[in-house]
Amino acid sequence: MAGQKRVLLLCGDYVEDYEVMVPFQALLAYGLSVDAVCPGKKAGEICRTAIHDPLGHQAKIFVQDVASVPFATYSESKGHNFVLNATFDEIDATKYDGLVIPGGRAPEYLAMNESVTDLVKKFEHLQKPIASICHGQLILAAADSVKGRKCTAYPAVKPALIAAGAHWVEPETVAFCTSDGNLITGATYVGHPEFIRLFIKALGAKISGSGKRILFLCGDYMEDYEVMVPFQSLQALECHVDAICPGKKAGDTCPTAVHDFEGDQTYSEKPGHNFTLTANFEGLDASSYDGLVIPGGRAPEYLALNDEVIQLVKEFMESGKPVASICHGQQILSAAGVLKGKKCTAYPAVKLNVVLAGATWLEPEPIHRCFTDGNLVTGAAWPGHPEFIAQFMALLGLTVSF
């Protein structure tokens, strides 16, 4: 694409799961080109990711109330396998418009790698936007890129940043971000919406159609990426996004599931992050929303049996408002009887539900293929998020231009 913005994503083993995938897929959905690299690895190889989730009472507040929180520590478990799409040794910094550095544990060892710090120094020398989050700022400190600059991070990184000469800005909330010239820094993945928005605006982005109200239909053990990636991607574009779950209220959490493709005949499952709901299910006025998103995972199996869920989905479909459903989410659409005469896809194991519901099955080949039929966007699995989000944005009249 002529004039397409190019971004480099600096990865490593045990990079934080959300902090690598959310910006990666959000930027792709907005039409940017993103290359993900890791020193010592080539395109097609993987980086292991880490799920960092809060621990204890303080950390429960840490997630649920971003207005006033004490920071606590976090637990770690294994996340998805993240596939690199470029080779580190072939990277030319002059060919990119910006750099993103995720957090997690990867920055601890990447900061010791001279080829990594040299790369960061090149972006800094060229005054190209650099966005770093959580522990990623360890790399900035090692590259001598924070001296005299306002900078925030996960609080445990504070001593290293101060020692490197940064003007430390205390993160008042876990969603806190700040910018200083070409440098954008954030405290944790809770702040992704502002973090991503500041980055694309530094690249010259103009957002139009913002202000839309979007509803996410959630449940226990929905797929981790399939809720958070579209949720934060839409928030970053200044949409009001609410997440609800039957039987739960704003501030409650839903456990998520990591569904990954690791060479078995079907997907594997691991525990994911805990996802915080933002609105009450009971008493919800669905007519106040402009669109609906249904994540996949295991949640749709039981949500499809809930009469109030079925009624909610019918209301959106009958109104003609945009509805986007991915993976196993189409089990809910099938149960609601709204697929008859529609063309759609889903995770291949859900084909039976879709066909029995009277829809025309569209083969998801490759797995990232997504389709739009009228007001309905359907996708097969989280690798298709860039297409899934972009097609939903088109129905909402939401655009990012440069």
Side-chain angles (χ1 to χ4, degrees), residues 14-360:
Y14 299 104
V15 62
E16 210 289 325
D17 204 2
Y18 280 165
E19 290 171 9
V20 66
M21 187 57 92
V22 174
F24 180 71
Q25 292 193 317
L27 294 172
L28 289 172
Y30 306 157
L32 290 80
S33 171
V34 187
D35 284 344
V37 297
C38 174
K41 299 194 181 190
K42 298 178 180 179
E45 295 182 344
I46 66 166
C47 282
R48 309 285 184 188
T49 72
I51 288 173
H52 285 174
D53 216 28
L55 272 176
H57 173 69
Q58 283 188 310
K60 186 177 182 182
I61 300 172
F62 169 103
V63 170
Q64 292 183 358
D65 181 7
V66 296
S68 57
V69 294
F71 281 82
T73 190
Y74 50 87
S75 63
E76 179 174 311
S77 57
K78 289 185 177 181
H80 299 79
N81 294 318
F82 183 86
V83 181
L84 304 168
N85 64 351
T87 300
F88 184 87
D89 290 343
E90 298 173 358
I91 294 302
D92 177 357
T94 65
K95 305 296 184 183
Y96 293 90
D97 300 291
L99 173 68
V100 176
I101 306 175
R105 281 196 297 108
E108 296 175 355
Y109 81 88
L110 292 178
M112 302 295 100
N113 186 314
E114 189 174 346
S115 63
V116 168
T117 54
D118 284 347
L119 179 65
V120 173
K121 287 176 182 178
K122 288 177 184 175
F123 276 89
E124 177 60 34
H125 176 73
L126 294 166
Q127 285 294 290
K128 294 184 176 183
I130 300 173
S132 180
I133 199 160
C134 202
H135 289 72
Q137 287 81 303
L138 290 170
I139 298 173
L140 298 180
D144 196 27
S145 297
V146 296
K147 193 171 185 178
R149 311 287 291 279
K150 290 190 301 180
C151 190
T152 195
Y154 190 76
V157 182
K158 176 181 177 179
L161 289 175
I162 291 175
H167 292 310
W168 171 255
V169 182
E170 196 68 38
E172 297 176 359
T173 75
V174 291
F176 184 76
C177 298
T178 191
S179 60
D180 186 345
N182 67 313
L183 187 63
I184 298 154
T185 53
T188 76
Y189 56 71
V190 179
H192 270 153
E194 184 181 4
F195 179 75
I196 294 168
R197 182 165 56 250
L198 288 170
F199 183 63
I200 62 172
K201 286 190 173 181
L203 292 171
K206 294 180 180 179
I207 302 167
S208 60
S210 59
K212 299 293 191 299
R213 289 175 53 84
I214 312 300
L215 188 65
F216 273 63
L217 181 55
C218 302
D220 289 345
Y221 299 104
M222 58 189 164
E223 211 288 327
D224 200 9
Y225 279 166
E226 289 172 8
V227 63
M228 187 58 101
V229 174
F231 188 85
Q232 291 192 319
S233 296
L234 293 166
Q235 284 184 318
L237 300 183
E238 301 172 326
C239 291
H240 176 91
V241 188
D242 276 332
I244 58 168
C245 174
K248 300 194 182 190
K249 299 178 180 179
D252 290 347
T253 60
C254 286
T256 69
V258 169
H259 285 173
D260 213 353
F261 307 96
E262 301 181 287
D264 303 308
Q265 290 187 340
T266 189
Y267 53 85
S268 62
E269 179 171 309
K270 297 185 284 284
H273 298 81
N274 291 306
F275 181 86
T276 304
L277 303 169
T278 64
N280 299 340
F281 186 86
E282 295 301 324
L284 183 86
D285 179 11
S287 67
S288 69
Y289 292 91
D290 300 299
L292 175 69
V293 178
I294 306 175
R298 284 196 290 109
E301 296 177 356
Y302 79 89
L303 293 177
L305 305 179
N306 186 304
D307 290 341
E308 291 178 290
V309 167
I310 296 303
Q311 185 55 44
L312 178 70
V313 171
K314 284 183 175 179
E315 186 174 336
F316 273 94
M317 287 297 291
E318 290 169 1
S319 71
K321 292 180 179 179
V323 174
S325 182
I326 196 162
C327 199
H328 287 71
Q330 285 80 304
Q331 290 176 319
I332 298 174
L333 299 177
S334 300
V338 296
L339 289 182
K340 190 171 183 178
K342 288 283 188 180
K343 297 176 182 178
C344 76
T345 194
Y347 188 71
V350 184
K351 179 178 179 179
L352 178 63
N353 303 69
V354 170
V355 172
L356 289 176
T360 299

